[in-house]
Amino acid sequence: MLEKVDEIKQQIEAFQTENPEELEAFRIKYLGSKGLIKGLFADFKNVPNDQKKEFGQRLNELKNFAQEKHDALKATATKAQSKANAPDDLTRPGEPLPVGSRHPISLVRDEIIDIFSRIGYSVEEGPEVEDDWHNFTALNFPEEHPARDMQDTFFVNSENGENLALRTHTSSVQVRIMESQELPIRIIAPGRVYRNEAISARAHCFFHQVEGLYIDKNVSFADLKQTLLFFVKEMFGEKAKIRLRPSYFPFTEPSAEMDVSCTICNSKGCNVCKYTGWLEIMGCGMVDPNVLENCGIDSKVYSGFAFGMGVERIAQLKFQVNDLRLYSENDVRFLDQFKAVF
Ligand code: DAH
């Protein structure tokens, strides 16, 4: 009997494989419930009593030996298997994944936010459906001002008879902030605005603006000019110039429109700047004392400036896009071109 144990032990010792099927056959043959070792255990009763002790020990050793051998072979087999499954060339480039791109309007809006954040402006938002007070009245629009006209403004039917409209500009956010925030105020308000216009290459019924507002003691027009110059140089490069032309807005006094030197032709004159070398990108001015008072701010103590710029217009200059409609058509051939920008 003991010889049988030795014989099996030698067989087990000699066995080698990396093949999982052969290994399983080994397990069944030696360790299975009908295997050789189980068989020897069954023979135990036939062993003479004086040999039972030694036989038992040897049998247990054999069983452990077989189990250890099996486990060791299994570990190398699994390793060999995972090596075999690995791709042939680990340095081969991966499959390309189709990735989207950011919309040019978002890219430009985020860059504007970034530039003003660097000089201490925080970002605010207001509702797109706005009431008459915030969009017009508090901003010093006279009752009969043409901007309130049906031709410019999309009015919204309200259940309680309140005068609501889709905001025609982000200046409405100025009012909300002046009414609710502590002084001094230094904010920008990006957002979508709506006007009742026929859609063409140069006009759309919705577009995007970024409003800016700075209110403190002793704020002057020189501060406004320097802030805008800083912005333009950050946005269009060191060489860019600005020009302020006197203008009129009900909510600022004095008011101006700001032109930037045409980046497309380097101010030499082209069809985008209509051969003037300049392009208008925003309106601005000193906040009218009436507006400050409408929002509960003492205009004898505080002054401030405001500005409002068109995001599409800036995007047009940066990316040389000459048709406003492209921004809302979602044509992938157009959008794809902004993948590598910024
Ligand atoms: N709200 C004006 C518009 O939509 C732009 C504007 C002009 C905003 C002058 C201002 C400002 O804050 O001071 O055309």
Side-chain angles (χ1 to χ4, degrees), residues 168-171 174 195 209 211-212 249 251-252 283-285 306-308:
T168 57
H169 53 184
T170 44
S171 303
Q174 273 189 41
R195 298 214 186 143
Q209 293 186 328
E211 190 77 13
F249 299 100
F251 35 93
T252 42
C284 59
F307 53 86

